[in-house]
Amino acid sequence: MPLAAGTVTRSRRLLKLCADIGLGGGVAEESWHEARLIPTSGINGAEEQERRATSALLAVLGAVKEFGRGFLKPFGAPAGSLECYIEVPFLLGEQRLYPDGLIRVTRGSTSWTALVEVKTGPNRLATQQLENYLDIARNEGYDAVITISNEIPAIAGQHPTHVDRRKTKKVELHHISWSQVLADAVMQKEFRGVVDPEQAWILGELIRYLEHGKSGALEFDDMGEAWVTVREAVAAGTLRPGDKSIPEVTSRFDALLRFASLQLGRQLGTEVVPVLTRKEMADPELRSQALAESLCQTGVMSGLIRIPDTVGALVVTADLRASTVTCHVDVDAPAEGRATTRVNWLLRQLKSSPDGTRVEAFVTHGRGSTRAALLAAVRENPTLLIADPMRDLRAFRVAATKPLGKKRGRGRGSFIDSVLDSVDGFYAEVLGSLRAWSAAPPKLRPTHAAPPEVDETVPAALNSTDYSSQDGAVDAPALHVVPDLPATSVATNELGDYPSGS
């Protein structure tokens, strides 16, 4: 039976479409979804998200030995056989509670056990829930409670949730952010290495899952509800140290520096950490007070980031009044050579840096920088950094300044992205190419052949002299009698030094 004209036309169009998108009548392979060990499909709601993230992480901890050992070591767990469980039931009084997970490490006759509480997405840890789990751990004789969430504490080792300190006397309370988990997983797989290739693939599947938007493992994406209020108060000059909104903003800024360190360390394959003084580590309130005072007086928040094997700490300065973010590093100048030679030494290392980079020079026994200029101008005239050729250059400061975003969240024009882009860009364009100066190794003195004037006809026993390393050496400067003084007065050499025995 012949087909209608419309049917033939539609059939031809369908065949042409099939030919355009793939072979025969199938769908193009580009649209196929590869099977994943930890799928993100089917996640409906926060409860399912937390359950899947917990199960995936604990399963990989037990399967990949290197990752499991590296994850638990900072919490005080010994090396040993690792067992992981999810949603283990416990009784606390009349309540039946289900911690998200339990980790047990066994080594010989000893064991180490920790309860695990997980939050994903914007969900925050609850004080009452953590205190209940601390009570369970104490009653069961467990060693620790580990919490995992997207909350990044301002200081390493500090827990983002306040709990009764009496409950942590016998049970330790630890916290790790999902950003830290992801950074540790990437460094273990890509840089430290996994011996077994199948275990390496499993760890890669966890990384792929955590990087997916549906996993609930979010990046740092919010400066907090008080951000707009504080920013406007700084601009108006009305911010005061007693304002209750300041602590949230300062703690968020330190958390942002920690996230920037994790993100940069994940790319470099090394441990990048914010720098705090010993006093600030012992008393985090000192750091908060210093940031609050600086924010009120100058509108500036700053912090340091340490990157291994670089010439110095990366200093990040966010100026809310000027709406700029500056990254700089201080570099010690060479200990020898003229001032121009020292400037050229720095310029050779900055040959790929942007022309807008600012360079400052510091002299010995001087306070503050003596000269400053943009890199483009210094390349044309290195003497711009030399105020006095007779004074030694002690150090240089290399800085890059960019516009600072104002939005509290992520995206174009946001405070968070402007800081992250500045840190990554400064390392890529400036800090990563700088090397510390080192003196040249000492050289051996040249050896001289035996002098040809030796008369071989003379017996060796009659020779009263032999060749010395001083033969052919430059004669010492002659001594001159100081004019207009008696002949018995002291003589000096050309350098003006008094000879010994005078």
Side-chain angles (χ1 to χ4, degrees), residues 445-446 448 467-477:
R445 294 180 57 189
H448 301 279
Y467 179 70
S468 170
S469 64
Q470 297 300 304
D471 292 341
V474 179
D475 294 336

Side-chain angles (χ1 to χ4, degrees), residues 10-339:
R10 287 193 297 270
S11 299
R12 288 176 179 174
R13 291 177 179 174
L14 180 60
L15 290 173
K16 185 178 184 301
L17 178 61
C18 292
D20 290 341
I21 65 174
L23 298 175
V27 180
E29 293 186 16
E30 288 78 5
S31 64
W32 296 1
H33 295 284
E34 185 178 356
R36 299 260 69 95
L37 182 65
I38 313 172
T40 55
S41 59
I43 298 179
N44 298 315
E47 186 177 349
E48 171 61 26
Q49 195 178 62
E50 291 178 5
R51 183 183 296 110
R52 190 170 300 192
T54 305
S55 183
L57 174 61
L58 297 187
V60 175
L61 287 177
V64 184
K65 296 180 180 179
E66 294 90 343
F67 180 57
R69 175 62 183 141
F71 180 88
L72 294 174
K73 185 177 180 181
F75 304 141
S81 178
L82 182 60
E83 303 172 72
C84 298
Y85 307 90
I86 64 170
E87 296 184 341
V88 180
F90 291 95
L91 287 176
L92 182 63
E94 298 180 356
Q95 301 181 76
R96 192 173 184 85
L97 302 177
Y98 295 84
D100 290 321
L102 182 145
I103 300 175
R104 174 169 292 160
V105 180
T106 305
R107 183 173 185 176
S109 59
T110 61
S111 64
W112 180 92
T113 307
L115 297 178
V116 181
E117 173 59 20
V118 174
K119 297 293 182 183
T120 56
N123 299 322
R124 307 176 72 86
L125 297 164
T127 299
Q128 185 60 53
Q129 191 177 35
L130 294 187
E131 291 183 349
N132 289 339
Y133 292 163
L134 287 169
D135 291 337
I136 292 174
R138 184 193 63 222
N139 296 338
E140 298 292 334
Y142 295 161
D143 300 274
V145 172
I146 301 173
T147 60
I148 307 172
S149 73
N150 288 307
E151 300 168 81
I152 302 177
I155 298 177
Q158 188 180 44
H159 202 279
T161 306
H162 295 285
V163 298
D164 190 342
R165 292 185 178 181
R166 294 173 295 180
K167 296 183 179 294
T168 59
K169 289 184 178 180
K170 294 185 178 180
V171 180
E172 296 182 353
L173 180 62
H174 302 287
H175 178 77
I176 185 170
S177 66
W178 282 114
S179 298
Q180 179 73 62
V181 173
L182 179 58
D184 290 346
V186 171
M187 284 194 286
Q188 186 66 60
K189 181 179 184 294
E190 303 295 338
F191 300 98
R192 298 170 188 156
V194 178
V195 176
D196 190 296
E198 293 183 355
Q199 293 183 14
W201 177 80
I202 292 173
L203 184 57
E205 288 295 290
L206 176 66
I207 295 171
R208 188 185 299 273
Y209 174 78
L210 293 179
E211 289 177 339
H212 198 281
K214 292 184 178 180
S215 68
L218 305 178
E219 295 184 337
F220 187 88
D221 60 358
D222 191 4
M223 284 300 294
E225 297 179 355
W227 167 251
V228 176
T229 302
V230 171
R231 188 197 68 205
E232 293 177 348
V234 169
T238 59
L239 190 67
R240 293 296 179 265
D243 290 352
K244 296 181 180 180
S245 54
I246 293 179
E248 180 183 356
V249 172
T250 56
S251 64
R252 290 272 179 168
F253 178 74
D254 277 338
L256 175 58
L257 292 184
R258 283 187 53 78
F259 178 74
S261 302
L262 290 173
Q263 183 173 270
L264 184 59
R266 193 171 70 192
Q267 301 176 61
L268 299 177
T270 187
E271 187 177 4
V272 180
V273 295
V275 181
L276 296 175
T277 64
R278 292 183 178 180
K279 291 184 178 180
E280 290 173 341
M281 290 292 292
D283 186 3
E285 284 298 322
L286 294 178
R287 167 67 178 170
S288 300
Q289 292 172 6
L291 276 179
E293 183 178 352
S294 174
L295 192 60
C296 293
Q297 294 180 355
T298 62
V300 169
M301 293 187 293
S302 62
L304 284 73
I305 296 176
R306 180 186 296 116
I307 306 170
D309 302 322
T310 54
V311 294
L314 193 163
V315 184
V316 183
T317 303
D319 191 334
L320 272 63
R321 289 180 181 172
S323 295
T324 59
V325 54
T326 301
C327 293
H328 80 258
V329 64
D330 292 334
V331 185
D332 291 335
E336 59 187 33
R338 297 177 300 173

